Amino acid sequence: MRLLVLEDEKDVADALSRGLSQNGYAIDIAETGSQGLEAIEVNGYDLLILDLNLPDMDGLDICRLAREKHPALLILILTARGKQKDIVTGLDYGADDYLIKPFHLQELLARIRALFRRDLRAREPILKAQNISLDPVEKVVWKSDRRIQLTRKEFGILEYLLRHPNEVISQEELLEHVWGTMTNVFSNTIRVHIQSLREKLADNSETPRYIETVIGTGYRFISSEPHPNESESSKGSPHE
Ligand code: CA
């Protein structure tokens, strides 16, 4: 993770740089607003730690400009300005968090961890189909409220199928995405893993509830979610 600290007080900047580096983050320091904006343009930062009282600009304007141009950049305002008006403006201008000086390094680190966790969660939502849920971040699978233990390959297969619900996925595609293109695996490998995955999901290959074999083509995860274009009438068709 690469962080930019935009802070004009050298003591604070040095302390932040030390504390953050020791915790595994790559740190750059900018001392003025214009330096900071330039650095943001040139380097791909994951997080901006932003002071508001800067010699050349108001940090709130930097927050707004940085947010406009870089929607994915996380911004944490770290300032002595603790008035409600500043906090509200900062958050409205796109800051993800706001911490008031004086601060404890441990709290700043915890907030940074929380921001990165939330960010990852937003980019990797939980996959759901029928009563199966798969968390790509925590690498866990649930069937209703029961946790299911899968091997890494079984997890990979299920994740790939859940990312393409109701689509027929070929064995080659699964091999490529779960095993990688460089591996040489036996032709029945997928079949064996699908079989064990079915057993763990309590699925039956003859009357599949979850994973259907499409003979000669591949597999598909049956999602009960109706297709957005499907009308109400087609859902009721078995009774007609
Ligand atoms: Ca300052």
Side-chain angles (χ1 to χ4, degrees):
M1 297 291 182
R2 191 172 183 191
L3 280 55
L4 177 67
V5 173
L6 183 37
E7 170 64 72
D8 62 322
E9 281 166 66
K10 200 171 179 313
D11 292 354
V12 180
D14 287 348
L16 279 173
S17 179
R18 250 192 332 273
L20 293 166
S21 312
Q22 280 167 2
N23 282 274
Y25 299 109
I27 308 297
D28 289 345
I29 306 262
E31 293 175 9
T32 65
S34 52
Q35 264 181 24
L37 285 173
E38 197 183 315
I40 291 167
E41 286 314 305
V42 177
N43 308 309
Y45 293 108
D46 300 294
L47 170 69
L48 167 65
I49 297 181
L50 176 63
D51 180 26
L52 292 188
N53 296 325
L54 294 163
D56 58 336
M57 292 176 75
D58 190 316
L60 289 173
D61 293 323
I62 293 169
C63 180
R64 186 172 45 80
L65 291 168
R67 171 57 66 238
E68 271 172 19
K69 291 187 101 172
H70 303 276
L73 174 69
L74 293 170
I75 302 174
L76 185 152
I77 292 176
L78 180 61
T79 179
R81 274 156 63 177
K83 284 194 191 128
Q84 196 191 28
K85 182 173 138 285
D86 289 322
I87 299 172
V88 169
T89 307
L91 295 173
D92 280 349
Y93 278 3
D96 298 285
D97 201 358
Y98 198 110
L99 184 59
I100 296 162
K101 293 176 188 168
F103 65 97
H104 287 282
L105 181 66
Q106 292 306 324
E107 180 177 355
L108 176 66
L109 289 168
R111 283 171 182 259
I112 291 173
R113 287 194 298 272
L115 283 177
F116 283 135
R117 258 199 323 269
R118 283 211 298 271
D119 191 47
L120 194 62
R121 166 68 56 231
R123 283 187 277 125
E124 291 282 356
I126 289 174
L127 303 170
K128 284 184 183 163
Q130 301 194 48
N131 61 346
I132 304 293
S133 318
L134 180 147
D135 185 336
V137 177
E138 303 292 337
K139 306 268 178 232
V140 292
V141 174
W142 301 82
K143 179 177 177 179
S144 296
D145 50 8
R146 186 168 62 85
R147 187 162 165 189
I148 296 187
Q149 302 288 348
L150 299 181
T151 65
R152 271 184 38 216
K153 296 302 184 200
E154 290 161 1
F155 184 91
I157 291 172
L158 184 61
E159 178 176 359
Y160 195 78
L161 292 175
L162 285 173
R163 286 191 188 280
H164 305 88
N166 294 325
E167 270 178 51
V168 180
I169 307 295
S170 69
Q171 297 209 18
E172 293 72 32
E173 200 174 339
L174 281 176
L175 280 174
E176 200 178 307
H177 287 271
V178 180
W179 272 260
T181 44
M182 299 305 287
T183 43
N184 236 331
V185 291
F186 295 109
S187 58
N188 69 342
T189 300
I190 294 281
R191 197 155 46 81
V192 170
H193 281 81
I194 290 272
Q195 181 53 36
S196 66
L197 183 55
R198 275 184 176 134
E199 280 166 19
K200 290 181 182 178
L201 295 176
D203 196 17
N204 183 334
S205 61
E206 302 299 315
T207 53
R209 176 176 176 194
Y210 301 110
I211 301 171
E212 184 183 40
T213 305
V214 182
I215 307 272
T217 314
Y219 302 94
R220 73 179 194 108
F221 195 98
I222 305 162
S223 170
S224 53
E225 299 297 316
H227 193 273
N229 296 332
E230 212 171 47
S231 66
E232 284 299 309
S233 64
S234 65
K235 271 195 292 180
S237 56
H239 304 289
E240 282 165 11

